[in-house]
């Protein structure tokens, strides 16, 4: 029994849980997972078919995310201050992704930038919090035609 059928926004802020595996088919459009102690997996991301916005923040045990199936509604994805997060894949399955922001993770930019990205991607920001490195990354992304989201 899934009692979340009509829910549009789900915000997990603080508290503790390892995953969201019990969430099955749903109508959730906005999902935020912020400072949830012990959170380490979102392997059921494909259950969130209507997802438009995903933000994962301050998750020390969250190491990887694979968008292994199409999520046609996802337009905005942020992964912020997840210092042990190393592996993000399947972005090519996000046909309508227009904004991707990655901040303070363990992702190796030089490897990461070589994968396929959706043609819809317009804003792509990648920050390590090291000024010199971030400046170089920003320049590379701008040369590839991406905006960083800070321009007015």
């Amino acid at each position: 029994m899934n009692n979340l059928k009509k829910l549009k926004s789900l915000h997990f802020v603080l508290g503790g849980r390892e995953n969201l595996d019990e969430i099955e088919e749903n109508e959730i459009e906005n999902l935020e997972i912020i400072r949830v102690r012990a959170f380490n997996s979102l392997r059921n991301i494909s259950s969130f078919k209507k997802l438009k916005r995903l933000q994962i923040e301050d998750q020390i045990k969250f190491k990887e995310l694979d968008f292994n199936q199409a999520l046609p509604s996802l337009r905005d994805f942020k992964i912020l201050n997840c210092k042990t997060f190393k592996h993000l894949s399947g972005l090519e399955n996000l046909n309508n992704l227009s904004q991707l922001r990655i901040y303070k993770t363990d992702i190796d930019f030089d490897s990461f930038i070589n994968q396929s990205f959706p043609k819809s991607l317009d804003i792509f920001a990648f920050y390590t919090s090291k000024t010199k490195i971030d400046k170089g990354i920003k320049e590379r992304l701008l040369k590839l035609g991406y905006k960083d989201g800070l321009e007015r």
Side-chain angles (χ1 to χ4, degrees):
M1 176 83 177
N2 189 353
N3 294 320
L4 302 177
K5 286 267 190 229
K6 303 265 190 254
L7 191 66
K8 296 290 184 197
S9 290
L10 184 57
H11 308 274
F12 286 100
V13 182
L14 303 173
R17 66 181 306 121
E18 291 184 9
N19 57 57
L20 304 179
D21 288 356
E22 72 275 14
I23 298 178
E24 299 163 351
E25 193 177 314
N26 62 74
E27 300 288 318
I28 294 169
E29 295 177 359
N30 298 300
L31 177 60
E32 288 183 357
I33 303 164
I34 301 172
R35 273 186 221 125
V36 177
R37 192 176 49 257
F39 189 82
N40 63 31
S41 170
L42 193 51
R43 66 181 152 260
N44 65 328
I45 188 66
S46 58
S47 296
F48 295 85
K49 299 272 186 239
K50 304 273 173 128
L51 201 59
K52 291 180 181 177
R53 194 177 147 277
L54 174 61
Q55 180 170 332
I56 302 170
E57 187 173 345
D58 295 331
Q59 298 307 137
I60 197 67
K61 295 187 177 195
F62 190 61
K63 296 184 184 333
E64 66 181 345
L65 181 58
D66 180 17
F67 291 102
N68 56 4
Q69 292 181 25
L71 288 178
S73 299
L74 189 60
R75 301 187 57 74
D76 183 3
F77 175 49
K78 296 180 184 103
I79 183 145
L80 312 170
N81 200 34
C82 296
K83 293 177 183 136
T84 63
F85 188 85
K86 259 183 150 47
H87 187 73
L88 176 60
S89 59
L91 291 171
E92 70 278 2
N93 291 323
L94 307 177
N95 294 337
N96 291 304
L97 187 69
S98 62
Q99 299 184 42
L100 175 62
R101 290 180 176 87
I102 299 170
Y103 173 72
K104 268 193 180 175
T105 65
D106 200 22
I107 294 173
D108 175 59
F109 179 78
D110 291 322
S111 300
F112 183 74
I113 196 63
N114 291 321
Q115 69 180 296
S116 295
F117 295 98
K119 291 183 181 4
S120 58
L121 191 59
D122 182 39
I123 295 172
F124 187 171
F126 190 107
Y127 298 100
T128 64
S129 79
K130 295 177 180 81
T131 307
K132 190 175 179 182
I133 293 171
D134 288 350
K135 187 174 187 259
I137 289 172
K138 181 178 179 176
E139 287 171 6
R140 284 178 67 187
L141 290 172
L142 289 172
K143 278 184 187 158
L144 290 170
Y146 296 112
K147 298 174 192 149
D148 71 1
L150 299 176
E151 295 99 30
R152 297 284 166 238

